[in-house]
Each structure stands twice: as structure tokens, then as C-alpha cells.
């Protein structure tokens, strides 16, 4: 996506994958500061939360979420941002291809919404949903991580509520899968009646069992992970380059990414 966008705009940059072990993270960031030859980086599992304390500055949204997925190099300083929240919001504002949503904008206001997972992506979604007055339930395999999320994510004194994993209360108006479950065909929420909206963040071109089941269920609107992937990437691109992302070029390149 990024390389297609750089080529389209005639920019001389390359987007490359760099596997980085926990033990190498600090040294990798020091090299970025010293050599100054990169615009920045995306950060993904498992470094999104641990990278915060290694940066020179963290913007307000990323700090409130407690996770960074984008680093921008400014001179010898590294600044952390979170574009997952933006990507989630844009994915929901965009009408799903089946046109079944009656909402042209962000569809969730003052609803009850269940989030599966308590990692960086769940944190971004929880903040976006709380900001719009929703009641957010969090369920996670490791309940301590869900409790930590619920303590630290807050809007006007409101926090998510922790419910038991895997099937706590019935999902209310929507469920958001913010775990990787489904990527390799894992079934989730099998015994639960699906709510009106199903959002699955797993970025895959092959439908997850949850997406497949939701699409086959009447009156359920589905948002899959590809739209969020596109929009969070576009926002990162804009932070690095300072120019608008060529969204359609990036969308066309999406199938090659996954
Ligand atoms: P993290 O590693 O921060 O969190 C992973 C979460 O998934 C944790 O809550 C973890 O639970 C849970 N989990 C992992 N494996 C299992 C399992 N086998 N059974 C139950 N729970 C499990 O990752 P992120 O939050 O960054 O990402 C989560 C998902 O969201 C991924 O699939 C990622 O690809 C997707 N994502 C999609 C984006 C998009 O643009 N579409 C953007 C960002 C993320 P525990 O705490 O118990 O380990």
C-alpha cells in the first residue's frame, strides 16, 4: 500500500518490513535517531504498548489509548501516534458495500457494545466508542489485561466494564473482535445470537468464520478489518509525508498486502 502510494506521488521512499525482537527495540529506535534516514515506522504486535516509554514524545490520542502504532522521525526525535483509532472510526463511517447500514456516519451512539480483546487495537476501539457515549464491555482471555484496560481508558469519568471471557453477557448492539481469532479459521461467539452490527478487525481477504456467519444472518451489518487497515495506513502515510494519501491507489494495492 505505502509503496504504491509513494510511487504514485513520485516520492523516493520505500516501506520495508523489519522484524524486531523485544530485546532489539530500544537499539532499533536509537539507530533511527542517529542515522536519520527514515521518515518513521509502523509498530505492530507485540510492541505497540511497550514502545511508548522509549519515544521522545507521544501525542495525546496515543497516550490516552496507551498504544503507539506509528512513529514519526523529526530530526533526532521520535514521536508516537496512534492511527488505529482513526482507522476504526473511518471504517465505521464508511457505508459497508452491502449498503445495509442506514447510517452515513459513525453508527454507534449510546449503544452497548462488546469488545473481544484487550490489546492495543481494543484500547483504540474502546476510546472511540466511549467518546460517542456508548457503554463498552470488554472481555479478554487474560482478565487482568482487561482490568488494566478498563482502569486506564476513560472518557468523562466513564470506563469500560469487564465481563467474563469468552461469552459474558450477550453482545448488546454490536460486537467488535479485536483479537486475531478467526485468522486461522477459529470460531468465536458460536453460541451467541449475533447483534445488529459485527465488526471484525482481523485484516484478511479470506472471510473469518465470524464474518461469514454474520453475512449469512439477516439484519446484521458487517464491517471487516480491511477498511480499518486502509484508513489507519493512510493516516500513517500522511503523518510521515505531510501530503494527502492517495486513498484509491492504496485501496487497489490492499489485496497484495494480505
Ligand atoms: P495485541 O497483541 O495488542 O492484542 C491481542 C489481543 O488478542 C489480546 O487481547 C490477546 O489476549 C488476544 N488474543 C490473542 N490470541 C488469542 C487467543 N488464541 N485466544 C484468545 N485471545 C487471544 O494485538 P492488537 O490489539 O494490536 O491486535 C488485535 C487484532 O486486531 C489482530 O488480529 C490485529 O491484526 C487486528 N488489528 C487490525 C487492524 C486493522 O487495521 N484492521 C489494526 C490493528 C489491529 P491476551 O491478552 O489474553 O493475550
Amino acid at each position: 500500500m505505502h509503496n504504491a502510494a509513494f510511487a504514485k506521488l513520485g516520492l523516493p521512499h520505500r516501506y520495508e518490513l523489519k522484524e524486531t525482537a523485544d530485546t532489539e527495540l530500544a537499539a532499533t529506535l536509537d539507530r533511527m535517531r542517529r542515522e536519520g534516514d527514515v521518515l518513521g515506522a509502523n509498530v505492530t504486535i507485540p510492541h505497540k504498548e511497550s514502545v511508548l516509554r522509549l519515544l521522545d514524545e507521544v501525542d495525546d490520542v496515543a497516550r490516552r489509548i496507551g498504544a503507539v502504532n506509528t512513529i514519526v522521525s523529526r530530526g533526532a526525535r521520535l514521536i508516537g501516534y496512534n492511527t488505529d483509532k482513526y482507522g476504526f472510526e473511518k471504517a465505521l463511517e464508511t457505508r459497508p458495500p452491502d449498503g445495509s447500514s442506514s447510517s452515513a456516519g459513525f453508527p454507534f451512539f449510546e449503544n452497548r457494545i462488546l469488545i473481544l480483546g484487550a490489546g492495543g487495537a481494543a484500547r483504540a476501539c474502546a476510546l472511540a466508542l466511549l467518546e460517542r457515549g456508548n457503554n463498552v464491555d470488554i472481555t479478554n482471555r487474560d482478565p487482568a489485561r482487561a482490568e488494566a484496560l478498563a482502569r486506564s481508558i476513560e472518557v468523562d469519568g466513564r470506563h469500560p466494564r469487564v465481563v467474563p471471557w469468552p461469552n459474558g453477557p450477550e453482545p448488546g448492539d454490536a460486537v467488535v473482535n479485536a483479537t486475531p481469532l478467526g485468522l486461522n479459521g477459529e470460531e468465536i461467539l458460536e453460541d451467541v445470537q449475533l447483534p445488529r452490527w459485527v465488526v471484525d478487525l482481523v485484516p484478511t481477504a479470506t472471510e473469518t468464520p465470524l464474518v461469514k456467519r454474520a453475512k449469512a444472518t439477516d439484519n446484521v451489518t458487517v464491517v471487516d478489518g480491511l477498511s480499518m487497515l486502509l484508513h489507519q495506513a493512510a493516516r500513517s502515510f500522511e503523518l510521515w509525508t505531510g501530503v494527502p494519501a492517495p486513498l484509491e491507489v492504496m485501496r487497489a494495492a490492499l489485496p497484495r498486502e494480505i
Side-chain angles (χ1 to χ4, degrees):
M1 262 190 294
H2 291 298
N3 287 330
F6 291 142
K8 173 73 182 172
L9 299 184
L11 296 170
H13 313 297
R14 290 282 314 157
Y15 188 89
E16 291 170 1
L17 184 65
K18 181 166 171 37
E19 296 270 1
T20 307
D22 285 349
T23 49
E24 298 167 353
L25 187 58
T28 301
L29 296 174
D30 280 343
R31 197 198 66 75
M32 284 171 68
R33 284 186 186 95
R34 225 178 21 250
E35 299 185 7
D37 58 348
V38 291
L39 292 177
N42 278 137
V43 184
T44 187
I45 298 172
H47 303 308
K48 281 182 177 177
E49 293 166 55
S50 57
V51 78
L52 246 88
R53 63 189 161 75
L54 300 173
L55 299 171
D56 303 303
E57 201 180 310
V58 175
D59 98 323
D60 185 52
V61 174
R63 190 166 294 289
R64 289 183 70 197
I65 292 169
V68 160
N69 77 329
T70 302
I71 299 173
V72 177
S73 298
R74 294 235 170 85
R77 290 175 65 73
L78 299 179
I79 303 161
Y81 294 88
N82 187 300
T83 70
D84 282 342
K85 175 170 176 280
Y86 173 89
F88 176 71
E89 291 166 337
K90 288 299 278 189
L92 284 165
E93 281 164 10
T94 308
R95 190 184 287 261
D98 65 5
S100 53
S101 162
S102 58
S103 164
F106 196 96
F108 304 135
F109 285 91
E110 298 176 2
N111 287 308
R112 177 158 288 286
I113 296 170
L114 176 66
I115 299 179
L116 309 182
R123 289 175 157 272
C125 297
L127 182 62
L129 293 168
L130 280 178
E131 280 179 351
R132 288 161 175 83
N134 297 289
N135 294 305
V136 176
D137 289 340
I138 292 281
T139 187
N140 194 48
R141 177 177 62 177
D142 172 1
R145 204 169 172 200
E147 294 288 353
L149 183 159
R151 272 193 306 276
S152 63
I153 301 288
E154 175 266 321
V155 173
D156 299 332
R158 293 178 305 111
H159 293 261
R161 175 179 76 164
V162 177
V163 298
W165 172 268
N167 295 333
E170 297 290 300
D173 302 288
V175 64
V176 178
N177 176 31
T179 75
L181 293 174
L183 187 62
N184 297 313
E186 302 92 338
E187 297 274 358
I188 46 173
L189 298 171
E190 274 174 291
D191 306 324
V192 167
Q193 187 180 347
L194 293 179
R196 271 191 306 124
W197 282 80
V198 170
V199 184
D200 194 340
L201 304 193
V202 173
T204 170
T206 317
E207 286 177 354
T208 63
L210 176 64
V211 165
K212 210 175 277 177
R213 186 177 148 221
K215 283 188 174 171
T217 307
D218 286 342
N219 303 317
V220 174
T221 299
V222 187
V223 178
D224 67 26
L226 295 186
S227 176
M228 175 170 167
L229 186 69
L230 171 70
H231 290 292
Q232 60 81 25
R235 183 76 193 116
S236 296
F237 182 94
E238 292 174 350
L239 287 167
W240 294 323
T241 63
V243 299
L247 204 60
E248 291 317 312
V249 170
M250 294 180 78
R251 196 193 305 275
L254 199 49
R256 292 199 297 277
E257 302 278 321
I258 44 178

